[in-house]
Every structure is written in C-alpha cells, then in structure tokens.
Amino acid sequence: MHMAWRRSRRGREIAAALVVLACAGTVFGATAQPRALAGGGSGPDAGATGTGWVPHVHVAGGVDSTYNPAIATAPNGDLYAVWVSVNAGLSDLVSAKSSDGGMSWGTFGLVAGSTESEIWPALAVDPFSGRAFVAYYASASQEIRVALSDDGTTWTPSFVRACIGGPYAACSRPNIAVEYANGGDNRVYVTMDSQRGFSPDDSDVLVYRSDNHGSTWTLVLDDGGSSAGAHVQPAVAVQRGKDGVDRVLVVYRQGTTLQAATNGRITWSDDRGVSWSGPALWSSAAAQPPAIGAAHDGSSLLVTTGTGNGPDVEWYLDLDPTDPSSFSDGGVWSGFGYATHIAPDGAGSVDPSIGGRYHLLATAQPGLMYRWVAEDFQEIGPMEYVANSSAAFTGADRDFAITTQARGGAWWPAITWADFHEGVDQVWYTTPGARLTFDTSPPGLVLRVDGDERVAPIAATYAAGSAILADAPSPQDGNGGVRYAFMMWSDGGEPAHAVLTGTTDETILATFATAYPLTVYSTPSGRQIVLGGETETTPATFWVPAGTYSLEAPTPQGATVGTRFAFASWSDGDARAHAVTVTGATTLTVTFDVQYKLTVTSPHGTATGDGWYNAGTVAPFAVPGRVNDGGKTWDFAGWSADSTSSAPSAAIRMDGPRAVTATWREPASAPVTTNWVQLMFLVAAFLLLIFAILWWRRKKDEDAAASSPPTGTE
C-alpha cells in the first residue's frame, strides 16, 4: 500500500496535477501510452526509420568486455562517458568525450587502472569549474574513491573511505552529485551503502562531502547507524530551491532485511550536509533501486522505483521541494520497465532558472525504454524503445545511464547503456535525432555539408538540435558545355545556411537551374554590353537559363580623350538594343566604329566641321574668307595645328584625334605715289594765279592813277 499524500498548503496544486494526469487513464491510459507497448514486449530499435532516435552509436567494446557506463554533461556541452573495461581479468575504468552530441567518441582516458578491479562508476561534472568526478569501488582495497579530471582525459584518484573498518565489512553502489549554483564554492556529495559485519541485512546509507573540489572528503551522514536493518541502494540529487536554499536529497530502500527493504525513504539537508531531516517515507513498495530527479529550477522532485510486479514503474512527485517529507503517489507506468534513472533539463548549466522536463530511462528486460515528464507534471510523453529485445543487459540498473544536453535552444536526453547483443558486452549511445539527406535537382551535383564537399546525395544521422551547415556551391560546370546555377533550397534557406536537426527524417533539396553560355564579343574588344541590366566588358560570357533576355550595346562609349566607339551593328542583324532568346550555347558579336574628334577653332567668324568622324574618313572644315568682327574687317590668313592649308575651306584625314585653328589679318591701306606732272601743273597753276593777282593789282593801281588830276598844276 502506498503512502497517501498529505493534505497541506500544496495539496490543491498536487491534486490538480493528478487530476490532469488521471484524465489520460489509470496509468496515463491509451492516449499517453502507445498501445503496442502496453504490458512490455519488444519494439523498434532507436534509429529505425521513423523512431526519432539516432542509430546506436558504438562507444566502446568489441574485444574486451565493457559495461556499467555512466554519462554526464560538461559546461561547454561536451558529453563525458565512463565505463568498466575488462582487461586481462581485471576491471579498469575508462573515459571518453564527445563534442558532437554523442555522434562520435574519442579522447579516451584511463580513469582508474591498477592491479585490482574498479567497478560501479558514477559520474558528475561541476558545471562551474568543469571538473569531472567519478566515484567508484576499488575491489581489492575495498575502498570508495573518486577520480578527478579537469579535461576528461587525465584523472587523479582521491580517497573517500575504506569499506572495512569499525563496524563495517563492505560498501557498494557509490553515487555522486555536484551543486550547480554556488560557483567556485560548489560542494560534491558521494553516497553509498555500507554493510555492518557480514550480514547484508544490516547496512547503512553514508554520505560524504567534499568542500575542496574532491581533494578530501568528510562523512556528513550515517543514515541507519542507530537502527538495525537494511538501508541500501541510495541515490543522491542536489537542488537550488525556489527559496534560495541548496538541498542535498538522498533516497534509498529500507527494511528489516535486504529482502524486506521495500520502504522507500528520503533524507535531506538544507545546510549542505551539516544537519539532516527525515528519513521520511515515500513508498512502501520500493522493490527496485530508486532514482531521484530534482528540477534544476527548484520547482519539483520526482522519485521512481520498480514495483517488483513485472516491468512496472511507480512514480512519486513533490511540487514543494522546500518540504521533501511528503510525496504524492503519481501512479504506475505499466510495461515501462524495472529500475530507472532520471535526468532533469539543465545538466552542465549553472543557471538555476532552467526548467522543463524530467527524462526517464528504464530497463524493460529485454530492452530499454524512455519517456519524459514535465517538471510541473502537467504533461507526459509516450514510452519509446531505445534498445529492443536484442539488448541483453549485464548489470541491471548500473548498465544504463542518462543525462541531458542543450542543443539548438532545447534540452535533449543523452543515453548510454551496455549490452551483449553482438556477443560481448559493449557500450552504446543514442539520443533523439534524424537522418538528413541533402540532394540536388538535377541529381549528381556537388554540395558542401558541414565542410565536407561531395557529390549529392549526402546523408547522415545527426543529433536533434544540431545545426548542420549546408552550402550549395554555384555555379557548377556540367557536361555538354552547360553550367548549373543555384536557385533555391527546399527549406527556403540561403545558398549557405544552417539546418536545424529535428526528430523527423528529412530530405533537403537544392534546386539548380541549367544555365547556357551567352558569349558576347566585340570589335574592337573591351567594350561594354548590358544583358538584363548586368553590365560586362567584352569578351563576356553570361551563364543564363533558357529564356529571352534584353541585350544592349551602349553608344557611344569613351576610351581616351578624343577617341570613342559608336555602335555599328550586331552579328544577328538586330537593333542596338534588342531581345535575344537563349536555348543553348549562344555567341554574338557587336561591332563598334572607332571615332576621332576633330576640334575646329577660330577667333573670328563661325567655323564648321567640329565633331566626331569615323576613323580613316576625310573631315571637311571651313571658315569665311573675310569677316566683320568688332567693327573691323578680318581676312582669313590660313590654318594652324594639324593643318597648314591657306584656303578657308579644307579637309583632313581622321587617323586620330585632330585639331585645327584658323588665323586672321586686317586688310592693308593703298600705297601713296608722287605724280610729278600733276604736281608741276599745280605749281604752274599756282604761280599763274599769283601772277594774275599781282597783274590785276598793278593794273588797278595804274588805272586809278590815270584818272586823278596831277598834284600842283592849274
């Protein structure tokens, strides 16, 4: 009989969550649980078409037996895995790292290897410092140790406790957890069960804490030390509560004997292990090793255990982790499995506000199953096979593990397990993902996917949330003198863009247009032409799909001073600007006339002939012979510069830029000559005139004298 959930200040909230879940059926019913999976049985392997999981990725094993894997997430998103590897009859611990969502594993390191066997690895990573911790059991020394690594490759052992000494004769099943919200002050906790004497029916749950990042360890809890009976199979979690308190939570099975240890109990500390509360009962039917999940944002707790009645998992929830003494019975997942592991969203992150889902993994024996539960318990995902009946596990609950990883803005489960379906124990990995196929139309062209350039199709499986860079190089040369130009991706992306992987297999198609060469020559070469608004210099080749395009030869076009090129004709006989139809390789030639400038200048009058003339032609030029300018008369005197003609109208051959200038002069006055005959005549006339005047005066005087009586005579 399960413990009834306590009515308290959170009773209504929990009851509401249970009502929502109950609406799906007694155990989430037919709507939440695929009908084919009810009651157990085999199903499709992860990675089969349509499952939404990547095919099993081989992590380790093949010759040597490998088992008991553990997995954790580093602050940078890398995944760390640790497992037991049997070598020459001894069990060593080996690690590996993945930086691509678990799709490949490398950088192997020896966590612990000596002349004794090391088993039961449990892995955790400090999300602030990135230091990895592996708790394990050294069999010959009978010690619990923790190996430390700051790079996931090189490991240093740290002693936690000797399992023999005082009242104790053995210890087993270490688990480990690291705080995430205290920066450089994150504490590390290791739990284990320790047997008193030689009776498995008398054992305690111990908790050790490290305040210096794993260098030394202090016992902070001995739960069961004051009472007889079995206290076994502890699991530990840490949580930054909504109230800002860091809690350490330990769940385990308890009973008067190991066989009767069916009481599920929890003990917790609100002061980082200084003092402890509980233990409180959360189940009286805990028949399998319990698992605990603590929401990263402090909103809830989830505890699971196998019922012992076939592959059924019972789960318990707490929506007020400030008081872990009371869990509510969530019900039974029939057919889900036996022992479970839980991973909340937020692994590897220091952000205490991350919330979302719990991710659960359970042994179906045979097989391995997964499902998710919202951290507010309002939603639950379907049960999905991760490994089908071909998987046979070697160590029950210690042979599989789960963490979460942020990819593409969401949190995804990352799962590892060991089985011997290939005849020897090997470690495998899977995560949600899809097979992406990048192809081209027409087929057989080249694509570049994540830097790998190959002929399409290119197909691979990627972890969900991975951003895959797809690039369609353009243009690409084809056979028969054609070329292919990128047109579009089926997802609407740019020629080079990131494709976010989901959980559905998908083909992303790059469509190319078949382009033909339209080649334009010109005479002379080096002239500009315009095709469809695109200007190029000849000779020019345009790769265009079949169709009709506007083609134009701009005119005139300059070259050097005094020289230009003027459109003359197209080889197809069409106009300077016309439409050309391309159905295959096309060649056209445009002819330009070379023209030179004749510059005619004159300081007087109006000159003619200034302008552009085709090369080799004879250009006429002229000025008037005489002009009136500014009140003066000017007579043409001749030409200077590139012409020495003296005629007002002349011509010049245009074999380059030419310039002529008219020169002018004023008209000259008539010359002065001496006419001696006329001069003598004029002198004679003048002298005759003088003689006449003098004669006349004398005559007058004589006549006057003759007419007057003489003086003194009577």
Side-chain angles (χ1 to χ4, degrees):
M1 178 177 181
H2 304 299
M3 183 187 82
W5 56 276
R6 183 184 65 178
R7 295 192 179 275
S8 64
R9 56 188 175 87
R10 55 200 167 101
R12 292 184 180 180
E13 184 179 7
I14 298 174
L18 291 176
V19 168
V20 171
L21 296 176
C23 290
T26 305
V27 288
F28 302 99
T31 58
Q33 176 176 302
R35 203 179 282 259
L37 302 185
S42 64
D45 250 344
T49 301
T51 63
W53 293 81
V54 304
H56 299 168
V57 177
H58 185 259
V59 179
V63 177
D64 298 329
S65 178
T66 53
Y67 59 95
N68 281 178
I71 192 168
T73 307
N76 64 355
D78 286 351
L79 294 173
Y80 290 171
V82 176
W83 59 89
V84 175
S85 178
V86 178
N87 182 17
L90 296 176
S91 299
D92 298 332
L93 301 183
V94 180
S95 68
K97 186 163 57 176
S98 174
S99 299
D100 58 3
M103 304 307 296
S104 63
W105 294 83
T107 319
F108 293 92
L110 182 63
V111 179
S114 62
T115 57
E116 61 181 331
S117 291
E118 293 85 14
I119 58 175
W120 292 327
L123 174 64
V125 178
D126 185 338
F128 179 79
S129 68
R131 171 166 287 188
F133 305 88
V134 176
Y136 63 93
Y137 175 72
S139 61
S141 302
Q142 298 188 54
E143 293 176 352
I144 299 295
R145 300 173 186 164
V146 171
L148 319 174
S149 178
D150 292 321
D151 60 7
T153 304
T154 305
W155 298 84
T156 302
S158 172
F159 172 79
V160 179
R161 70 167 276 113
C163 296
I164 299 177
Y168 299 107
C171 52
S172 64
R173 306 183 59 85
N175 274 304
I176 192 166
V178 188
E179 295 173 350
Y180 54 86
N182 294 300
D185 192 35
N186 283 339
R187 309 295 174 89
V188 190
Y189 301 89
V190 171
T191 65
M192 67 203 76
D193 54 26
S194 187
Q195 181 177 308
R196 290 173 172 268
F198 295 96
S199 172
D201 295 330
D202 189 4
S203 56
D204 299 342
V205 168
L206 307 180
V207 178
Y208 282 77
R209 184 189 69 211
S210 176
D211 302 330
N212 50 19
H213 311 290
S215 296
T216 59
W217 299 85
T218 302
L219 178 65
V220 294
L221 174 67
D222 181 352
D223 205 353
S226 60
S227 60
H231 304 74
V232 295
Q233 300 170 343
V236 61
V238 292
Q239 184 180 63
R240 166 61 64 89
K242 291 288 189 181
D243 55 0
V245 174
D246 289 295
R247 289 183 176 82
V248 187
L249 307 118
V250 180
V251 294
Y252 57 91
R253 294 169 58 210
Q254 178 270 330
T256 55
T257 64
L258 179 60
Q259 187 68 29
T262 57
N263 293 319
R265 296 195 179 275
I266 182 170
T267 184
W268 67 97
S269 173
D270 290 342
D271 52 15
R272 308 172 83 179
V274 176
S275 61
W276 294 81
S277 300
L281 183 72
W282 48 267
S283 172
S284 58
Q288 296 288 339
I292 182 170
H296 208 70
D297 63 358
S299 61
S300 63
L301 296 173
L302 174 64
V303 174
T304 58
T305 184
T307 65
N309 299 317
D312 298 338
V313 171
E314 191 160 25
W315 62 286
Y316 302 84
L317 63 144
D318 186 348
L319 285 168
D320 182 14
T322 61
D323 179 14
S325 64
S326 178
F327 278 78
S328 299
D329 186 350
V332 175
W333 293 326
S334 178
F336 185 52
Y338 299 88
T340 55
H341 290 292
I342 306 172
D345 288 347
S349 174
V350 299
D351 183 1
S353 67
I354 294 173
R357 293 176 173 178
Y358 293 106
H359 302 265
L360 295 93
L361 196 61
T363 54
Q365 288 188 349
L368 194 64
M369 299 193 70
Y370 163 85
R371 84 180 325 163
W372 59 264
V373 177
E375 290 179 355
D376 62 0
F377 306 108
Q378 297 296 306
E379 296 180 90
I380 184 170
M383 294 189 292
E384 304 175 61
Y385 271 100
V386 171
N388 67 9
S389 58
S390 65
F393 296 97
T394 58
D397 65 298
R398 302 297 290 214
D399 260 344
F400 62 99
I402 185 170
T403 186
T404 56
Q405 185 184 40
R407 300 191 298 259
W411 289 89
W412 303 91
I415 295 170
T416 184
W417 74 97
D419 65 45
F420 53 90
H421 73 270
E422 291 190 353
V424 63
D425 295 327
Q426 298 182 74
V427 176
W428 305 90
Y429 170 86
T430 191
T431 189
R435 183 174 180 82
L436 300 184
T437 301
F438 298 89
D439 208 347
T440 63
S441 176
L445 299 183
V446 171
L447 293 176
R448 190 179 298 116
V449 177
D450 265 359
D452 182 18
E453 186 172 296
R454 287 189 286 135
V455 174
I458 302 174
T461 301
Y462 302 95
S466 300
I468 310 304
L469 182 60
D471 186 8
S474 179
Q476 298 184 33
D477 293 330
N479 297 324
V482 301
R483 181 176 284 183
Y484 299 98
F486 172 79
M487 297 293 289
M488 62 178 291
W489 283 102
S490 57
D491 63 356
E494 296 294 321
H497 71 293
V499 177
L500 190 64
T501 309
T503 57
T504 302
D505 294 349
E506 185 178 2
T507 296
I508 300 95
L509 186 69
T511 299
F512 289 76
T514 303
Y516 301 98
L518 170 58
T519 303
V520 180
Y521 298 96
S522 71
T523 303
S525 185
R527 301 301 96 216
Q528 289 187 334
I529 48 95
V530 181
L531 180 73
E534 181 181 353
T535 301
E536 292 290 345
T537 300
T538 62
T541 298
F542 300 87
W543 288 91
V544 294
T548 300
Y549 303 89
S550 62
L551 180 62
E552 177 183 357
T555 189
Q557 297 182 29
T560 58
V561 176
T563 303
R564 74 179 189 181
F565 302 89
F567 171 79
S569 65
W570 281 102
S571 57
D572 62 359
D574 221 321
R576 180 187 68 82
H578 66 288
V580 59
T581 299
V582 177
T583 58
T586 303
T587 300
L588 291 172
T589 300
V590 59
T591 299
F592 289 85
D593 289 331
V594 181
Q595 295 185 332
Y596 298 116
K597 179 70 165 57
L598 172 61
T599 303
V600 182
T601 57
S602 174
H604 305 294
T606 301
T608 60
D610 188 277
W612 292 88
Y613 297 89
N614 287 349
T617 60
V618 176
F621 55 95
V623 291
R626 171 173 286 184
V627 298
N628 290 318
D629 186 7
K632 293 183 179 182
T633 299
W634 299 90
D635 287 336
F636 173 77
W639 294 97
S640 63
D642 289 327
S643 177
T644 58
S645 175
S646 60
S649 296
I652 190 171
R653 181 171 295 280
M654 298 302 292
D655 51 8
R658 295 290 179 259
V660 295
T661 302
T663 60
W664 300 85
R665 64 172 177 247
E666 293 185 73
S669 299
V672 178
T673 60
T674 303
N675 191 329
W676 293 103
V677 175
Q678 291 179 348
L679 180 62
M680 290 177 67
F681 176 79
L682 288 174
V683 171
F686 179 74
L687 292 174
L688 182 62
L689 177 61
I690 294 300
F691 177 80
I693 291 172
L694 290 174
W695 182 85
W696 177 79
R697 290 283 305 260
R698 184 178 178 182
K699 180 69 179 162
K700 184 177 178 182
D701 288 344
E702 289 177 352
D703 288 344
S707 62
S708 296
T711 311
T713 24
E714 295 285 330

